[in-house]
Amino acid sequence: MTEEEKQELETLRLEKHQREQTHRAREALERAGIPASFAPLLIGADDGDTDQRAEQFRSAYQEALAGDIRSRLPQQPPVVTAPAPQRPRRGIQRIR
């Protein structure tokens, strides 16, 4: 095997590894309900590393999302000071 063939084989192995790890990360994110577009960022050296990165990302993503939602909600529940006005009845009414 020539040096060029060895280099090409190594390149193909690397591409295959990246595809497999991207697929693994994408599946983990989809199970967690997170957009799969983040999967290429979570590629690890092996399956365990990819799983660990996906889990850490899931935790951080959900924490950030929950924090953002909490920041948008009012701190105190709304207080009703006066009862809502009653609407007049429409239609036929009884004569008294």
Side-chain angles (χ1 to χ4, degrees), residues 12-92:
L12 291 174
R13 284 182 184 157
L14 235 167
E15 289 174 2
K16 180 182 177 190
H17 174 73
Q18 286 182 329
R19 270 195 317 273
E20 289 173 347
Q21 295 305 313
T22 302
H23 179 70
R24 187 174 186 89
R26 179 170 281 128
E27 285 179 345
L29 292 176
E30 287 175 353
R31 280 193 307 267
I34 298 173
S37 60
F38 292 109
L41 303 173
L42 306 175
I43 296 173
D46 58 11
D47 290 349
D49 189 29
T50 299
D51 291 344
Q52 180 183 9
R53 288 174 182 230
E55 180 60 29
Q56 288 173 344
F57 180 79
R58 183 197 62 78
S59 297
Y61 182 82
Q62 288 180 343
E63 186 177 314
L65 193 59
D68 185 47
I69 290 171
R70 272 188 237 109
S71 72
R72 293 172 189 244
L73 292 175
Q75 298 299 320
Q76 298 285 332
V79 178
V80 178
T81 56
Q86 292 186 350
R87 296 185 334 192
R89 293 184 179 183
R90 294 189 174 156
I92 302 174

